[in-house]
Amino acid sequence: MIMRGKTTAGPLLGLTELVDEPHISEILVDHALRGIRVQVVLRMLLAVFVLATVLLDPPADGAALCIVVAVLYAVWCAVGLIAVSRIRIGMIRFAWLALFVDLAVLVVLAVVASRSDQTSWTSDVLVNGFVVVPMIAATQLRPKICALVVVPTVVVYFIASALARVPNGEPWSLIAMRTWVVATLGLGAVMLSTVQRSRVSTIGTLAAQRARLLDDTVRIEERERRELAEHLHDGALQYVLGARQELDSVRAGADPGALDRADDALREASRLLRSTLGELHPAVLEQAGLAAAITDLAVSVERRTALRISVDTVGWPAELRTTSDPMLFAAARELLTNVVKHADARNVELSVEFDDGMARVVVVDDGRGVDDAMLDRRVAEGHIGLVARRVRLEQQGGSLTVTRRPGGGTAAIAEVPATSA
């Protein structure tokens, strides 16, 4: 009994794994730099707000200290704004530490200004700056760091509002509601950071898969060229060389049967060349359909190997042409090639069928048997033909399943959704 199933797409790669992928680290660095640029702009706006607050409405007690802290913070932000275009990759990992500087500055100013709550509104205005901190943290690709900043921000906001409650005459309910709004913004910042990280991981994973597919394509093309060269060299070319030798004998007049042997060699070379061309791009596939092309493929493989191949096309209507015919033919060719090279089989059963919108090719052999685990080992050794076919089938919503038969041998099923052409 043949077990059928679909392979599932691999999980998203983490940022750590993506950094090790060639060309992918550039994508991660670019996204990180964009986040840092947004941070610097928001931080500069926060510094302008803080400086304007302490200058326009300085606290009655500790005004000088507040102005000094605000000026130093503004200068620090301005330096960051200038230096952001020259930031190095190694500095990206530590950019999140600046968030705690933002939080520390606001805490210091709020604490100093709170001593003058009876006579000034400085503390009440400054406390609104805490709302900006979660927004700055949201640009990080590290949700945990964002949460680590948001939690103390909400706590400090609540404490600062509570200290100013009596002078301002605010009820606890109003303070609780304002703190709830800040906490909601903080939670949104953490969730936004999570979404950004997920998007970057998705983009990086897709880029990594694309790079690997391109590499696999190059390797497959090289392998197919090598196999074609070997096929022509060991087949048709040998008959052509033999024919030339026979023609030399004809010229010398030493062997009257040489001309007949040369003719036989050229006929065989012609047959092998047609067979090779038919396997590469069978004209019969377009003219007579997949069932006829599969039958010709089996005959061609039988002629050049010791395999006995039985073909069953009962499940495929002779007049049927689908958009997936070339893909299934290529899959059948690859599966038979693997049987010839690796299975050590004597008999092969090849069938093709169309059922309920699914086109299917089944190859069953009596060889040594192979399964997905063994395929993974062959991929590690550089044999990627079947894996490439599987990827192409999955891209079209299909699958390639390879299982070891209980009685020995292998059963391989290539299937893909198909519509009439």
Side-chain angles (χ1 to χ4, degrees):
M1 181 178 181
I2 298 173
M3 301 299 294
R4 297 179 182 177
K6 290 183 180 288
T7 56
T8 56
L12 292 179
L13 300 177
L15 295 184
T16 303
E17 292 85 353
L18 289 174
V19 170
D20 298 330
E21 292 289 332
H23 311 301
I24 307 304
S25 60
E26 297 179 5
I27 297 176
L28 302 181
V29 170
D30 180 64
H31 279 78
L33 288 175
R34 290 182 183 180
I36 291 176
R37 293 188 188 103
V38 174
Q39 283 186 40
V40 169
V41 172
L42 293 177
R43 184 171 289 118
M44 193 67 227
L45 295 175
L46 178 61
V48 172
F49 165 78
V50 170
L51 187 59
T53 301
V54 297
L55 289 177
L56 297 177
D57 187 19
D61 187 9
L65 177 60
C66 288
I67 292 174
V68 170
V69 172
V71 170
L72 291 177
Y73 179 61
V75 172
W76 179 71
C77 292
V79 172
L81 187 63
I82 296 173
V84 69
S85 60
R86 303 177 182 177
I87 190 170
R88 296 181 179 179
I89 295 177
M91 299 172 63
I92 295 177
R93 301 191 179 196
F94 305 101
W96 59 272
L97 293 174
L99 293 167
F100 293 97
V101 176
D102 303 326
L103 186 58
V105 169
L106 289 174
V107 168
V108 170
L109 293 176
V111 170
V112 174
S114 65
R115 294 182 298 181
S116 304
D117 283 340
Q118 299 287 347
T119 58
S120 67
W121 293 90
T122 310
S123 178
D124 299 295
V125 178
L126 284 173
V127 78
N128 294 314
F130 285 100
V131 179
V132 182
V133 176
M135 298 299 100
I136 299 177
T139 61
Q140 290 283 326
L141 295 178
R142 299 182 177 92
K144 293 182 179 178
I145 297 296
C146 185
L148 193 62
V149 174
V150 166
V151 171
T153 299
V154 175
V155 172
V156 173
Y157 179 85
F158 175 77
I159 294 174
S161 299
L163 292 176
R165 183 182 70 86
V166 175
N168 295 338
E170 284 186 290
W172 282 108
S173 59
L174 182 58
I175 294 175
M177 293 303 296
R178 287 198 287 113
T179 304
W180 177 266
V181 171
V182 175
T184 301
L185 290 174
L187 178 61
V190 174
M191 296 174 67
L192 180 60
S193 179
T194 304
V195 170
Q196 288 189 101
R197 184 182 181 92
S198 176
R199 287 179 176 176
V200 172
S201 296
T202 301
I203 293 172
T205 300
L206 292 175
Q209 291 175 349
R210 178 179 178 274
R212 291 173 182 172
L213 285 175
L214 289 176
D215 292 340
D216 290 347
T217 300
V218 172
R219 292 166 61 186
I220 290 173
E221 289 178 350
E222 292 177 352
R223 188 201 67 174
E224 290 180 343
R225 290 192 186 99
R226 183 174 62 251
E227 290 180 351
L228 178 59
E230 293 174 354
H231 194 180
L232 293 176
H233 178 273
D234 297 338
L237 180 60
Q238 299 304 314
Y239 285 100
V240 171
L241 294 176
R244 288 186 60 186
Q245 293 177 356
E246 299 298 344
L247 289 176
D248 290 339
S249 300
V250 171
R251 292 191 187 96
D255 188 353
L259 191 59
D260 293 334
R261 290 193 297 272
D263 182 67
D264 291 340
L266 290 175
R267 288 178 182 273
E268 184 63 19
S270 176
R271 185 191 65 79
L272 289 175
L273 287 173
R274 289 196 187 98
S275 175
T276 300
L277 293 174
E279 290 184 23
L280 290 175
H281 184 70
V284 69
L285 182 62
E286 298 177 357
Q287 298 172 1
L290 180 62
I294 289 290
T295 302
D296 284 359
L297 175 64
V299 172
S300 175
V301 173
E302 271 190 328
R303 285 177 178 174
R304 57 183 174 84
T305 65
L307 286 176
R308 290 191 297 271
I309 304 176
S310 62
V311 181
D312 181 7
T313 61
V314 174
W316 191 277
E319 70 281 358
L320 180 63
R321 306 288 187 276
T322 75
T323 55
S324 301
D325 287 0
M327 184 178 299
L328 284 176
F329 180 84
R333 183 180 61 202
E334 186 65 38
L335 290 171
L336 287 178
T337 299
N338 274 268
V339 172
V340 172
K341 289 187 174 182
H342 307 294
D344 194 21
R346 295 182 178 180
N347 300 285
V348 176
E349 297 176 7
L350 174 60
S351 61
V352 56
E353 57 189 54
F354 182 83
D355 180 36
D356 195 21
M358 292 294 293
R360 187 177 298 110
V361 168
V362 181
V363 178
V364 180
D365 66 68
D366 60 355
R368 64 185 64 181
V370 68
D371 51 23
D372 286 334
M374 187 175 294
L375 284 180
D376 292 338
R377 290 195 296 272
R378 288 182 179 174
V379 171
E381 296 171 356
H383 304 289
I384 58 175
L386 281 182
V387 175
R389 294 298 170 193
R390 172 178 290 173
V391 170
R392 293 176 184 177
L393 287 167
E394 289 177 350
Q395 287 176 341
Q396 301 299 322
S399 66
L400 175 60
T401 305
V402 180
T403 56
R404 190 189 300 270
R405 300 174 65 201
T410 303
I413 303 174
E415 59 181 2
V416 65
T419 56
S420 298

